[in-house]
Amino acid sequence: MFGEKVTLKEHKLSVHYFCLLTSCGVYQRGEEDEGIFGFLVEDIKQEARRSARLTCFGCKKKGACVGCNVRSCRKMVHFPCGRKQMFVSQFTGLFPSYCPDHSPSQSLCTGLDISLPRSCSICLDSIDPVLSYSILKCPSCHTSWFHRDCVQRQAHSAGLFFFRCTLCNNKENFQEEMLRMGIYIPERDASWELEANAYAELLEVYKRCDALTCLCNNGCTHSAKSGWFEVIRCRLCGSRGTHRKCSGLKLDTKDWACTDCTQATDGKASLVRSPQGGPRRSLLSKRHRPSVHSSISCKRPSLPERSGSPEELLQSLVPQLHPPSVQVEVIGDQALSAGLDLVRRADFDPTQTLSVRFKDIDQTPLPNNLWDSDTAKEYFLKLLMQQIQECVVFEGPDGSKNLALDSEALREDLYFDVGCLLALSLVHGGPPVGFFSRALYQCLFNYPANRPLNVTHMTPDTHFTHQVTRITEAESLEELKEVMAVSWEYLELAGCNRPISSLKEREALVEDLVSFTIITRMQLPLQRFREGLQTLGVFDQVQLFPSVFCGVFCEAGDHLTAQKIGQLFTINFSEQEVKLKRETPVVTFWRHFLLECEVGRSSISLQDLLRFATGSAKLLAVSAVSSSSISFLHPLTPSPLGFKEGRGVDWRDEGLFPQSEPESKHLLLPVTSSYQAFKSSMEQAISHHVHLLPIDG
């Protein structure tokens, strides 16, 4: 009923597993072998101190640690009392609990005849088909009804891999509904699968000679490793055997069929062969777990062993996008307003591609070429990221923003919408976020793990920060008490208005205040923001690889270098030997030109070159969409003389300029005879192109 009871004698601490999971103020911040299932001992003791002040709604005693997940509801209970009071605890996600007034409920299927006598499909006792806390039904077939206690016992026995409806055999929808209704599903195999040697007979092979007259001196149960008296089994049924000598078979015979199988196959049983070449599947192999229950009994996901770059991980999400495209109309430069209108549409589908159009563009300083769809989308995503950083849901200095608590933003669910827009921007090739504070990133993705927050993580120049700073800087116990007396309302709100007898207790007090300010009071905004980031799987991807994505969310975009741009492009040489010979030195010209752009010896920058070649000035946006390539632009007709008379200029050095195909990220380099000619051609073409693009900043 309450999960495994664990006792730590050295800490004089005992706790039930379910009580630990459903407690409102404790989370897994340790490794699996630390504390109790990853719950640190200090965290558990702190939660015990917090709940010691709370009165149980059921028994009216102190120590209630399970509260209703609805923010406006104040009901708190002990976990056992919650069962008696018909609280529903969901063993998934953040393990929320709901009181009877706010708990989830089931509905009857339209046209269902409830006048028919029914019985529990598990215990077979009679049951009244009236949905309630103690009576549940299958969401798929609607004809399987059962007692809550019965289906909970079945879940304990069957486990995650075998728990399903007893009538329609549905598994995915049934498990999802049972989790919603508060049924705990152990993340393990079925109890009958865990019994020692439960399926040992499946590993035994038939070793007995069934010939009418057995010629083996050691008896019909003897089987040699080879030779005349090795028992070979029927190729079809496997339940009959014979010695080769006893059935008159040849010494090398391996394909044999018993009399029963031969008669059933009209004497052709020996022609049937089994697929020996393919891999054999074990009868005891574990079934794949469904992805919907990837984390049932854990308050945080496990990290995979391998990862890639942010570009590669974001690119794995791009295949979700598909036509038709959705139209985004931007009035002037109001990108955030257009984005909010998009995600708040009733028919909004995040998997659709974006088609951006700027309206009233002549009234703004935006260039005319924003009518081009790719350039318009890139400029829209850049404006969107800038305006999101400045919206009311964030506070703090530029480049280090925390979430701000805004009641109007909560009412409008702006936290969810902004998270959704950030996810859309990253998947659609927008710029890196780059303005999250380390504290905000840690609150969202628990990275770095198990690192406590301190006063430096709080938003500067706020009322709460000033109060915590004064407490931190108090030099004596008297000064500390004076500061606490002035800040008693804040301490009371944070649940930290407790007597202090020495300066040694100040550190724990400050830690509790910081935790309350950054995490506890921001629970709902953080939750909605996370749910918005889950759009297109971005949150899950970042949570799996938090160290990889930290630079995308918390730091400005990567500094462009010649090496990074060189690695971005794949060079496609010509197959003809004559052209290949001319293209080889151009590759050297290209790499040298990149270096000169990097150190400032060219009239163009690396950003200009990247935008000319790919249509984007950001490495992240380029790599997340597709790979880039380089091929070569040869002159149409060669001159037999090689040089023009009187000028000493090679025939290949005139009229050739680089060309780009931003849609396919393809760049054509001119084939010239010298580096100076190559550099001049590149600078002229790119400089002309840059003046036609939107100005950054």
Side-chain angles (χ1 to χ4, degrees):
M1 290 184 66
F2 312 131
E4 179 183 357
K5 185 177 182 180
V6 181
T7 299
L8 298 180
K9 294 182 179 179
E10 63 273 20
H11 297 285
K12 298 181 180 180
L13 181 69
S14 294
V15 62
H16 287 111
Y17 184 42
F18 291 173
C19 299
L20 197 55
L21 287 178
T22 55
S23 293
C24 298
V26 63
Y27 298 88
Q28 287 169 298
R29 299 194 303 117
E31 301 296 333
E32 295 299 331
D33 56 350
E34 292 185 87
I36 300 177
F37 303 114
F39 292 89
L40 301 182
V41 174
E42 289 303 320
D43 292 347
I44 298 174
K45 291 182 177 180
Q46 181 178 344
E47 173 66 4
R49 291 193 296 268
R50 184 191 71 87
S51 60
R53 304 189 300 269
L54 303 175
T55 303
C56 176
F57 174 73
C59 67
K60 309 302 180 183
K61 297 180 180 179
K62 298 289 186 180
C65 61
V66 180
C68 181
N69 195 49
V70 176
R71 188 178 183 183
S72 59
C73 184
R74 300 295 182 182
K75 292 181 181 178
M76 300 289 296
V77 291
H78 302 100
F79 183 80
C81 297
R83 289 294 179 91
K84 297 177 182 178
Q85 297 294 326
M86 295 186 294
F87 268 61
V88 172
S89 297
Q90 296 177 346
F91 294 92
T92 183
L94 293 178
F95 297 81
S97 298
Y98 298 92
C99 69
D101 295 334
H102 302 109
S103 62
S105 60
Q106 293 183 301
S107 58
L108 289 174
C109 179
T110 305
L112 184 66
D113 184 7
I114 62 173
S115 62
L116 298 175
R118 298 182 182 275
S119 62
C120 173
S121 59
I122 298 175
C123 70
L124 302 182
D125 285 348
S126 60
I127 191 173
D128 293 330
V130 178
L131 293 172
S132 63
Y133 173 81
S134 57
I135 303 297
L136 304 176
K137 70 176 181 66
C138 174
S140 297
C141 62
H142 300 282
T143 58
S144 179
W145 294 62
F146 28 74
H147 303 104
R148 173 180 289 271
D149 293 339
C150 292
V151 75
Q152 181 62 82
R153 282 195 294 269
Q154 184 199 9
H156 270 292
S157 177
L160 177 65
F161 305 108
F162 290 92
F163 182 51
R164 62 193 69 200
C165 176
T166 54
L167 291 186
C168 68
N169 215 31
N170 180 276
K171 181 178 179 181
E172 184 174 351
N173 294 338
F174 181 73
Q175 288 191 5
E176 184 176 355
E177 177 71 1
M178 292 302 104
L179 284 172
R180 188 179 72 88
M181 296 306 297
I183 300 300
Y184 172 70
I185 308 175
E187 198 169 353
R188 56 166 171 77
D189 221 330
S191 58
W192 58 84
E193 294 272 2
L194 301 177
E195 295 179 13
N197 300 320
Y199 296 93
E201 66 274 9
L202 296 178
L203 304 178
E204 297 178 1
V205 296
Y206 191 81
K207 291 186 178 180
R208 179 185 177 88
C209 177
D210 294 313
L212 294 177
T213 303
C214 181
L215 304 178
C216 181
N217 294 330
N218 295 323
C220 60
T221 57
H222 171 74
S223 178
K225 293 183 179 180
S226 61
W228 289 110
F229 294 103
E230 176 189 5
V231 173
I232 59 175
R233 291 173 298 279
C234 174
R235 290 294 266 178
L236 295 183
C237 67
S239 59
R240 292 288 185 269
T242 182
H243 295 122
R244 292 188 178 91
K245 192 73 171 178
C246 301
S247 295
L249 305 176
K250 295 181 180 180
L251 188 59
D252 59 349
T253 299
K254 295 182 179 180
D255 187 7
W256 171 80
C258 65
T259 304
D260 295 339
C261 292
T262 302
Q263 294 175 353
T265 56
D266 297 329
K268 298 180 180 180
S270 60
L271 301 178
V272 181
R273 304 189 63 85
S274 63
Q276 298 180 9
R280 298 186 63 183
R281 181 177 179 180
S282 171
L283 292 173
L284 301 179
S285 62
K286 183 161 286 189
R287 289 76 174 162
H288 292 291
R289 292 168 47 189
S291 58
V292 67
H293 304 314
S294 59
S295 180
I296 289 183
S297 58
C298 182
K299 281 194 176 182
R300 47 104 195 279
S302 59
L303 296 180
E305 297 179 358
R306 298 194 305 170
S307 63
S309 65
E311 295 83 1
E312 295 171 342
L313 297 174
L314 285 175
Q315 189 171 358
S316 67
L317 304 177
V318 173
Q320 300 177 78
L321 305 179
H322 59 77
S325 61
V326 58
Q327 185 73 39
V328 182
E329 293 187 348
V330 185
I331 307 298
D333 61 350
Q334 301 302 310
L336 179 56
S337 178
L340 293 176
D341 290 341
L342 170 67
V343 299
R344 290 172 178 175
R345 295 178 187 175
D347 58 346
F348 170 64
D349 183 359
T351 63
Q352 292 181 327
T353 57
L354 297 181
S355 176
V356 181
R357 185 177 65 180
F358 284 82
K359 297 182 66 176
D360 299 331
I361 202 168
D362 54 334
Q363 301 177 12
T364 66
L366 303 179
N368 291 332
N369 73 317
L370 281 181
W371 291 108
D372 175 69
S373 59
D374 290 338
T375 308
K377 184 175 76 169
E378 178 187 347
Y379 194 65
F380 164 70
L381 295 177
K382 181 177 180 180
L383 284 176
L384 178 66
M385 195 64 67
Q386 293 174 350
Q387 294 173 13
I388 285 178
Q389 182 177 180
E390 299 167 359
C391 72
V392 297
V393 302
F394 293 105
E395 64 181 8
D398 291 342
S400 184
K401 298 283 189 179
N402 287 325
L403 278 186
L405 185 59
D406 188 278
S407 58
E408 186 176 355
L410 281 173
R411 286 196 301 270
E412 297 177 355
D413 207 11
L414 189 58
Y415 295 94
F416 176 87
D417 296 335
V418 168
C420 180
L421 288 174
L422 287 177
L424 286 175
S425 177
L426 289 174
V427 177
H428 283 273
V433 178
F435 61 81
F436 279 20
S437 68
R438 295 285 177 168
L440 175 56
Y441 192 80
Q442 183 177 346
C443 291
L444 290 172
F445 307 110
N446 191 29
Y447 179 84
N450 310 324
R451 182 174 298 179
L453 299 174
N454 54 54
V455 67
T456 61
H457 292 110
M458 299 177 66
T459 305
D461 300 325
T462 64
H463 180 63
F464 288 160
T465 304
H466 289 318
Q467 289 180 301
V468 177
T469 302
R470 291 184 60 192
I471 293 175
T472 305
E473 295 175 350
E475 297 180 355
S476 64
L477 181 60
E478 290 73 17
E479 182 181 355
L480 176 60
K481 290 183 178 180
E482 290 178 3
V483 175
M484 292 178 63
V486 174
S487 307
W488 71 271
E489 291 182 345
Y490 174 44
L491 296 175
E492 190 72 26
L493 181 65
C496 299
N497 194 13
R498 55 181 181 260
I500 299 294
S501 58
S502 67
L503 281 177
K504 295 181 180 179
E505 301 177 26
R506 179 179 57 184
E507 182 178 350
L509 174 63
V510 171
E511 184 177 342
D512 291 346
L513 290 173
V514 172
S515 177
F516 166 77
T517 305
I518 299 180
I519 300 177
T520 306
R521 76 186 184 101
M522 299 297 296
Q523 278 295 323
L524 184 56
L526 284 169
Q527 178 183 347
R528 294 302 293 159
F529 192 59
R530 289 190 194 99
E531 292 171 355
L533 284 172
Q534 288 176 350
T535 303
L536 295 174
V538 171
F539 180 84
D540 295 335
Q541 195 79 305
V542 178
Q543 196 172 37
L544 289 175
F545 308 101
S547 61
V548 177
F549 279 96
C550 185
V552 176
F553 284 85
C554 298
E555 300 171 1
D558 291 341
H559 176 66
L560 285 179
T561 63
Q563 181 181 7
K564 290 180 180 179
I565 293 185
Q567 294 173 349
L568 183 66
F569 290 88
T570 302
I571 299 178
N572 300 324
F573 289 100
S574 301
E575 296 182 358
Q576 299 180 13
E577 185 176 354
V578 176
K579 289 187 176 182
L580 177 61
K581 187 176 180 180
R582 296 172 181 169
E583 293 168 356
T584 303
V586 177
V587 176
T588 305
F589 298 163
W590 160 253
R591 293 171 179 166
H592 188 64
F593 181 70
L594 291 177
L595 290 175
E596 289 201 343
C597 292
E598 181 178 4
V599 300
R601 293 181 182 176
S602 173
S603 61
I604 65 172
S605 65
L606 289 176
Q607 285 82 0
D608 295 336
L609 190 151
L610 186 62
R611 175 166 288 204
F612 170 81
T614 65
S616 172
K618 301 290 185 180
L619 276 175
L620 180 65
V622 174
S623 302
V625 176
S626 62
S627 59
S628 306
S629 61
I630 287 178
S631 58
F632 300 87
L633 188 64
H634 289 265
L636 295 179
T637 55
S639 169
L641 298 178
F643 291 85
K644 292 194 175 183
E645 297 180 2
R647 297 178 60 185
V649 179
D650 191 273
W651 57 269
R652 292 176 293 180
D653 296 343
E654 289 189 345
L656 285 180
F657 296 97
Q659 300 178 14
S660 64
E661 300 173 359
E663 294 81 8
S664 57
K665 304 295 182 290
H666 185 60
L667 177 63
L668 289 167
L669 296 179
V671 176
T672 61
S673 62
S674 66
Y675 173 71
Q676 290 301 327
F678 179 86
K679 179 180 178 181
S680 175
S681 174
M682 296 289 290
E683 288 180 338
Q684 290 183 50
I686 296 175
S687 297
H688 176 73
H689 180 78
V690 166
H691 291 295
L692 302 178
L693 292 176
I695 299 175
D696 290 336

